[in-house]
Amino acid sequence: MSMESERDELRSLMAQAIRIELTTIPPYATAAYTICEVGQYDRIAPTEVNAEPLEVIRQVMIEEMLHMTLAANILNALGGSVILNQPSAIPSYPCRLLPSGKGPEVRLRRFSRDQVRVFREIERAPVNFDKLSNGDCLRAETIGGFYHCVREKLRALCRTHRPDQVFCGDPAWQVGAEHYWGAGGQAFAVTDEASALRAIDMIVDEGEGADLGGRAGDGDPVPGTGEEDVAHFFKFNEILLSRYYRADDHLGSPPTGADLAVDWSAVHPMRDDPRAEDFAHLPEVHARMLAFDQLYTGFLLALHEAFNGRPERLREAVPVMIKLRHEAMALVRIPVNDQGETAGPGWTFRPIYSTPERAS
Amino acid sequence: MLMAEACPDDLLALSVALTGYDRASLWATGCVPLYLAQLADVAGPDLLARLETAGREHAAAVGADPDAADRQLRQRVLVDPDLGPLARSLIQLWYLGQWTPMPPEWVQRNGSKLRDTARILSSRAYREGLVWDTIGAHPMGAKAPGFGSWALPPAGETP
């Protein structure tokens, strides 16, 4: 294979990586936002309900945002371009996590044991790395296996070609700590083999801790406390087992940390895989769900620009993410049928949709 | 979930008429059961039934002639010495998350009620007040809109 075609293959693999990272965020966000929060039970005194699982999912989610940003940095460093303004590039649900079609089916569902088990499956480490190396990365069966394969290809390319041939992207397009802060760790520029491998390792370690020999810790400190954080696979298992892991705990043995209080019943009964089209018979709900989709679409378009030479635009995306959260939390409170199921965020990319007046 | 003893449909219809927000928006506050329970506690069963009737009739009439339906609501509810103060407190509850106690004349007619005290009903009620949406702002100390958002024009504002 020529240098160009090898580099092109890596670019398309990194585009897949961005899609995989993006695919995880709406389901995680949706589950988190269906958790009933403060003030649900007690008429007078606010009560913290499920604050702990909400926080655990939130931590994972914002690390996925960092992973997506790092994957975009790698793609841009390779001289590729990030595409987030085309419907074909944006996941719609239900969908498969990986290009191979393997791995769990990813859906938009309320917080439940089943859904957290799916999340844990998303973050599961591959059983056998050897099977994948130098193979077809698109056939990987786990995220970790996919990145392991991409990593090998990147190293092979760097062994045979000059760094400036491989990393031919414009360094000004890199998203660094000056554009990205306060969420799941620090973004850094990818300009050479070392920084590209560091980015891939961070994505994999935070996901599964796979390269760390089954240890729960991911090698990064939790901001503020300085204690070592645990990988996503373990975080979701913490919720299922109602107990926190310590960084030195291992895969296969139970967590040894403090209790983690989970109330599986304090959850808004959101209908599975909500889509605006399914609520056309309820015009008010329909309009509100379309408004959410429009907000999400605008957010993705802003990300598209940020990853295509205008990294400073990430700043504008911050208030939109917060709006998305508040709107999603509002949607899951609206009952839509006699069974008491509620509406929810559809996370549908609708680039040509224009704003209707909110019916009031 | 806490459910109001009151009939949500008719009282929601009344709330839609009184606030100008649609049903979905009222549900989206997450405060429907809390507010309707508060209203029921202060109104008592008889006045509550009259409020339900007013809500139901307004909902039935508003499609054909909105102005006439609104006029009728003012005459039947807002100027009524028993229903008027309840309706006005309900409006304030939706907008501010705060219950405003009944005036002395109402208490003389209907007696004092245990829950008829001035207070913000819950932390959610404060955060979800309709006033914040109406003025394109966020509740102070809650729902922070994110770093740098102060550089953007307020929602609904044309720069």
Side-chain angles (χ1 to χ4, degrees), chain A residues 345-359:
Chain A
W347 306 96
T348 306
F349 185 68
R350 299 180 195 272
I352 50 167
Y353 177 71
S354 62
T355 332
E357 285 292 307
R358 165 95 58 87

Side-chain angles (χ1 to χ4, degrees), chain A residues 37-44 46 181 268-269 284-285 288 315-316 318-319 322 326 329-331 333-335 358-360, chain B residues 1-2 5 20 22-25 27-30 34 37 41 115 119 121-124 127-128 143-147 149 152:
Chain A
E37 84 293 27
V38 172
Q40 179 62 24
Y41 283 146
D42 196 318
R43 280 201 202 171
I44 307 299
W181 66 93
H268 296 287
E284 296 168 1
V285 176
R288 214 172 164 117
R315 171 169 293 204
E316 295 164 40
V318 174
I322 291 170
H326 291 143
M329 291 171 82
L331 281 169
R333 294 167 178 159
I334 305 174
R358 165 95 58 87
S360 59
Chain B
M1 193 185 283
L2 181 75
E5 304 83 27
D22 64 26
R23 266 164 201 266
S25 301
W27 277 113
T29 63
L34 181 68
D41 284 345
R115 291 194 187 275
R119 66 194 194 285
L121 292 204
S122 75
S123 57
R124 180 188 284 180
R127 289 185 324 198
E128 301 298 335
K143 282 189 163 184
F147 181 83
S149 59
L152 306 170

Side-chain angles (χ1 to χ4, degrees), chain B residues 3 8 11 14-15 19 32 37-39 41-42 46 49 67-68 74 84 94 104 108 118-119 121 123 137 149 151 159:
Chain B
M3 289 306 293
L11 292 176
L14 179 69
S15 296
T19 62
V32 169
Q38 167 70 18
L39 181 68
D41 284 345
V42 176
D46 295 345
D67 289 343
R74 282 171 209 280
W94 279 116
Q108 271 179 359
R119 66 194 194 285
L121 292 204
S123 57
S149 59

Side-chain angles (χ1 to χ4, degrees), chain A residues 125 204-218 231-234:
Chain A
V204 173
D205 292 353
E206 288 186 348
E208 315 148 339
D211 289 354
L212 304 172
R215 201 171 152 272
D218 70 357
H232 297 178
F233 178 86
F234 295 89

Side-chain angles (χ1 to χ4, degrees), chain A residues 109-127:
Chain A
R109 302 182 75 186
R110 70 184 83 147
F111 179 71
S112 69
R113 282 191 184 83
D114 279 350
Q115 184 70 337
V116 176
R117 281 190 198 107
V118 170
F119 292 171
R120 189 181 60 177
E121 223 37 53
I122 289 173
E123 308 284 351
R124 185 180 286 282
V127 184

Side-chain angles (χ1 to χ4, degrees), chain A residues 319 323, chain B residues 132-138 145 148-159:
Chain A
K323 249 188 217 162
Chain B
W132 309 115
D133 178 76
T134 308
I135 65 174
H138 71 281
S149 59
W150 43 86
L152 306 170
E157 195 84 354
T158 36

